[in-house]
Amino acid sequence: QGVIRLENSSNYRRLFDEYFVAVKDLSRNFDEKVDLVGNKWLFLYLTQTLDKKTMASFVVSDVKNRTGKISLNLNLSTISTTEFINFEQYIKGQGQSIIIEVQPIDMLNNMRTFVNVKERLHKAGHDILLDATSIEMLQTLNIKSLGFDYVKLFWHDLMEEYNPESEDIKKLFEEIGVNKIILAKCLGENAVRWGIKNGIRSFQGPYIDKLEVAMIQKHCPNGKRCTPNDCLKRKKMISGYFRDMCDYKEILDRNLG
């Protein structure tokens, strides 16, 4: 799923693309009695396995034509594995760099590992992102001292209750670095408007997907043949038969802002 940065009222650029496996969707293939998300240890084992599978899938894909950085949501423990080292070498060989998205609970439970991972990633020229935050979490954590390159703030409709003219919110975002903040889970235009009023310029979510697909179909010679859903599905895939059915994959991956 793409993250875009608004340059002005009519132009944007793709900041990076996040690649992930939706565990909730995956759970439909298992026994209904098995709660993949609710069982802590099963979920940890599953995500560690998915980390390795996701990284391996890039080796059979053509990433050099993709604009922007490649972002993966990984466990901190994965960064020390042979699979990550091999993945990193491959991505560097393709002229790309990586953004690693970290879950707050993973960071808080493994602070020493987090510090080591952050230093290792920065030394290699990669970035690190704190995922799945709320305004309340940002008010509690000293984000600036943790040294993140990006912070994802998850949108929800209750955030509209925060006064966009509030000096407290503006001060909070300024302390973090407003250019580091990505407003994610944007479902509609109201989320983007709220973000802009508070100085945010980077966005992700279903509403952003629709904007990107509209732009892709506008530039694609086959734009009228494909449905928006098919176009979006192909854009989100790393590789595979359904993606290969697209005659203009370079347009799927191009920055069309």
Side-chain angles (χ1 to χ4, degrees), residues 10-176:
S10 58
N11 290 309
Y12 71 87
R13 65 181 172 90
R14 188 180 298 163
L15 200 58
F16 61 85
D17 282 311
E18 178 190 2
Y19 296 91
F20 58 90
V21 177
V23 176
K24 287 186 178 179
D25 291 340
L26 187 66
S27 64
R28 295 170 186 165
N29 297 319
F30 289 81
D31 191 317
E32 294 181 357
K33 297 178 182 178
V34 179
D35 186 357
L36 297 179
V37 178
N39 186 314
K40 175 183 176 181
W41 300 113
L42 178 59
F43 181 74
L44 177 61
Y45 172 78
L46 178 63
T47 54
Q48 287 175 336
T49 302
L50 289 175
D51 285 352
K52 296 176 182 180
K53 293 291 185 182
T54 302
M55 289 186 294
S57 66
F58 276 90
V59 179
V60 297
S61 67
D62 187 9
V63 299
K64 63 179 178 295
N65 294 323
R66 296 173 186 253
T67 57
K69 297 183 178 182
I70 291 171
S71 175
L72 293 181
N73 202 315
L74 300 180
N75 289 285
L76 288 171
S77 59
T78 298
I79 309 302
S80 61
T81 63
T82 302
E83 287 84 358
F84 180 80
I85 295 171
N86 293 338
F87 165 73
E88 180 185 27
Q89 290 175 344
Y90 174 76
I91 293 298
K92 279 190 170 183
Q94 299 293 310
Q96 294 277 15
S97 58
I98 308 166
I99 299 173
I100 299 301
E101 305 200 15
V102 177
Q103 294 297 312
I105 191 68
D106 194 13
M107 175 191 70
L108 294 172
N109 286 341
N110 305 282
M111 187 57 73
R112 183 175 295 180
T113 301
F114 163 72
V115 172
N116 292 335
V117 163
K118 179 185 65 175
E119 291 177 354
R120 181 222 185 286
L121 291 172
H122 282 162
K123 188 175 181 180
H126 306 308
D127 292 329
I128 190 165
L129 178 154
L130 181 61
D131 193 21
T133 71
S134 63
I135 287 180
E136 293 75 18
M137 186 183 297
L138 296 181
Q139 290 171 330
T140 302
L141 296 175
N142 188 340
I143 300 295
K144 189 173 181 179
S145 68
L146 291 170
F148 284 98
D149 301 288
Y150 299 101
V151 176
K152 272 191 188 176
L153 172 63
F154 277 15
W155 167 260
H156 59 79
D157 289 337
L158 291 177
M159 286 167 62
E160 290 191 278
E161 296 180 8
Y162 288 96
N163 185 351
E165 307 300 325
S166 169
E167 291 301 319
D168 290 339
I169 297 296
K170 288 184 178 180
K171 184 179 178 182
L172 173 66
F173 290 172
E174 287 172 2
E175 287 176 352
I176 294 169

Side-chain angles (χ1 to χ4, degrees), residues 210-250:
K210 290 178 182 179
L211 295 180
E212 281 210 280
V213 166
M215 191 66 70
I216 289 169
Q217 292 193 304
K218 178 181 176 181
H219 287 80
C220 181
N222 285 350
K224 294 182 178 180
R225 293 187 189 177
C226 302
T227 68
N229 284 340
D230 284 347
C231 192
L232 178 61
K233 185 177 178 181
R234 291 186 177 113
K235 178 185 177 298
K236 288 187 172 186
M237 296 177 73
I238 298 173
S239 60
Y241 173 75
F242 191 72
R243 178 179 167 86
D244 288 341
M245 290 173 64
C246 178
D247 295 326
Y248 298 93
K249 290 192 286 295
E250 69 279 6

Side-chain angles (χ1 to χ4, degrees), residues 197-215:
K197 285 180 181 178
N198 284 284
I200 297 172
R201 288 294 182 270
S202 299
F203 302 92
Q204 182 186 39
Y207 180 70
I208 303 304
D209 290 341
K210 290 178 182 179
L211 295 180
E212 281 210 280
V213 166
M215 191 66 70

Side-chain angles (χ1 to χ4, degrees), residues 175-188:
E175 287 176 352
I176 294 169
V178 72
N179 286 332
K180 294 183 177 182
I181 300 174
I182 298 163
L183 189 60
K185 304 285 187 183
C186 296
L187 297 176

